[in-house]
Amino acid sequence: MRHRVLLASILAVSVVCAGCDPKTGSTPEQAAKPAETKAAQPAAAAVTAPVFFDDFNYRDFAAFQGNGWKARTQTGHPGIKGATWSAEGLSFHSDIPDTQAGAIRMTSVTNGSGEKTRQTQFCHARKYREGTYAARIFFRNEPNSGPDGDEVIQTFYAISPLKAPMDKNYSETDFEYLPNGGWGENDQPAMWTTTWDTFQLEPWTKVNEFSRKQGSYAGWHTLVLTVADKKVTYYVDGQLFSEHSSAVYPEDFMSINFNLWFMPKGADGSKGPVDSPEMREYQEDIDWVFFQEGVALATADVEAKVADMRGKKVAHIDNVKEQSPALASPCGL
């Protein structure tokens, strides 16, 4: 998701991103791609378990908020120092090709300076832990306008707040697409998956597992991750991408998030923004998002459930219960 980089150049004066640099100093594991198999779950559980689904079929922001979504406005990491986070980057579209009811679009802009950078994030309630998370996302390799080359991060993830350095209950599971490379690897597009146990910023210490696969993921992709049986498993378009162990298994309830942000220069050896004062605009579209509690579903099962809800004209459903009392759900770090 969201915050993988540690800004070496500003570490002394600014707290940097909570997910900073999970990848430094290691050669990423290239995941094999065997066909996905169906999880061994009782059929009754898959039918009756609570479900959250949103088709992102909205006409205005008020309706979006009414279904529990928040746009980030909190300033700060990750990203370019001094950048803003704003709902201005969110828009709803009913005419996007290859979607049934349209999609929500995140649009982030930069000219390389904090003053001219606007990043985008939106979040749902912190009430999700074990089960199946899924989203259908359109990734882009180039900006919609302006020069190409910024190290931009396009994401789908779940996260809990870090309550203290090395918080034992911290939890995070991330899909992150880097179309222009980053994190000191190279300038080639790559997908990353990272599962966090915990971390602290100073001195920088992390406990996580990550996987990287180089190659273009431009276009529509169905991302599925399952948190079940003491392992976290990631799939892209029904193919196994990576599996992370019980050592990083989520222990706390998480919120569902999407964001689109720019990696700063110098973060873990990253090139950061291209050297140009011209404004550029990057976009990421999300067709739908899905969660089912307590079951590990195969991608085909998720897609069948989504198709069934759409066939019944269900644009939104949420019977996943809040904790009691409801957990604070900050839309930020």
Side-chain angles (χ1 to χ4, degrees):
M1 145 314 253
R2 142 208 120 250
H3 42 272
R4 286 290 153 282
V5 294
L6 186 62
L7 269 173
S9 61
I10 64 168
L11 185 57
V13 296
S14 175
V15 175
V16 289
C17 64
C20 305
D21 180 28
K23 294 92 183 178
T24 302
S26 299
T27 300
E29 175 183 301
Q30 297 285 331
K33 293 180 64 178
E36 182 181 3
T37 58
K38 288 195 175 187
Q41 293 291 340
V47 170
T48 61
V51 168
F52 168 65
F53 169 71
D54 201 322
D55 211 8
F56 294 121
N57 184 12
Y58 293 104
R59 293 186 177 182
D60 56 48
F61 191 72
F64 176 71
Q65 287 181 306
N67 281 338
W69 293 103
K70 301 178 188 176
R72 178 174 177 173
T73 57
Q74 173 190 334
T75 58
H77 51 275
I80 295 173
K81 185 181 179 182
T84 60
W85 296 84
S86 171
E88 185 180 347
L90 293 176
S91 56
F92 308 103
H93 302 264
S94 60
D95 58 351
I96 294 178
D98 298 321
T99 65
Q100 181 169 310
I104 185 170
R105 173 170 291 165
M106 293 190 293
T107 301
S108 295
V109 298
T110 190
N111 71 347
S113 71
E115 294 77 11
K116 295 292 185 178
T117 298
R118 188 196 71 229
Q119 303 178 137
T120 311
Q121 177 174 330
F122 65 99
C123 322
H124 205 259
R126 186 160 67 94
K127 59 180 183 176
Y128 307 98
R129 184 172 169 254
E130 293 183 306
T132 298
Y133 301 74
R136 183 171 184 256
I137 299 177
F138 192 91
F139 295 115
R140 292 173 173 83
N141 283 351
E142 300 87 19
N144 187 50
S145 61
D148 195 6
D150 295 299
E151 292 183 338
V152 62
I153 319 296
Q154 305 175 35
T155 76
F156 165 46
Y157 64 101
I159 187 172
S160 71
L162 182 74
K163 302 179 183 70
M166 303 304 289
D167 175 12
K168 292 182 179 180
N169 290 326
Y170 179 73
S171 302
E172 183 180 348
T173 59
D174 304 341
F175 278 104
E176 299 168 302
Y177 181 50
L178 282 62
N180 291 320
W183 294 321
E185 284 296 326
N186 54 40
D187 60 1
Q188 298 303 303
M191 181 74 78
W192 297 78
T193 59
T194 308
T195 309
W196 289 82
D197 182 52
T198 191
F199 71 95
Q200 67 179 19
L201 290 169
E202 296 186 58
W204 174 241
T205 307
K206 64 182 178 65
V207 182
N208 66 18
E209 295 178 18
F210 65 90
S211 305
R212 173 183 180 269
K213 184 172 181 181
Q214 186 167 300
S216 174
Y217 285 82
W220 285 111
H221 295 282
T222 300
L223 310 182
V224 173
L225 76 89
T226 62
V227 178
D229 300 324
K230 297 301 178 184
K231 61 185 177 183
V232 181
T233 310
Y234 297 82
Y235 302 91
V236 178
D237 297 328
Q239 300 294 319
L240 177 65
F241 187 93
S242 60
E243 184 178 294
H244 298 161
S245 75
S246 61
V248 292
Y249 195 76
E251 297 170 304
D252 200 0
F253 288 91
M254 302 177 287
S255 60
I256 291 174
N257 292 249
F258 300 86
N259 69 8
L260 179 61
W261 57 280
F262 300 98
M263 190 176 295
K265 184 176 182 180
D268 183 24
S270 295
K271 297 177 183 178
V274 296
D275 186 15
S276 170
E278 185 178 347
M279 293 297 295
R280 46 268 190 197
E281 177 182 273
Y282 287 83
Q283 296 178 332
E284 174 184 345
D285 298 343
I286 303 96
D287 184 13
W288 51 259
V289 64
F290 171 93
F291 172 83
Q292 186 156 20
E293 187 175 281
V295 294
L297 300 174
T299 301
D301 293 328
V302 171
E303 291 175 332
K305 287 175 179 288
V306 171
D308 180 64
M309 286 184 284
R310 284 177 153 179
K312 296 174 180 176
K313 306 299 183 184
V314 176
H316 175 269
I317 186 172
D318 184 3
N319 52 32
V320 179
K321 292 183 179 179
E322 298 265 11
Q323 295 300 292
S324 183
L327 299 173
S329 301
C331 193
L333 172 61

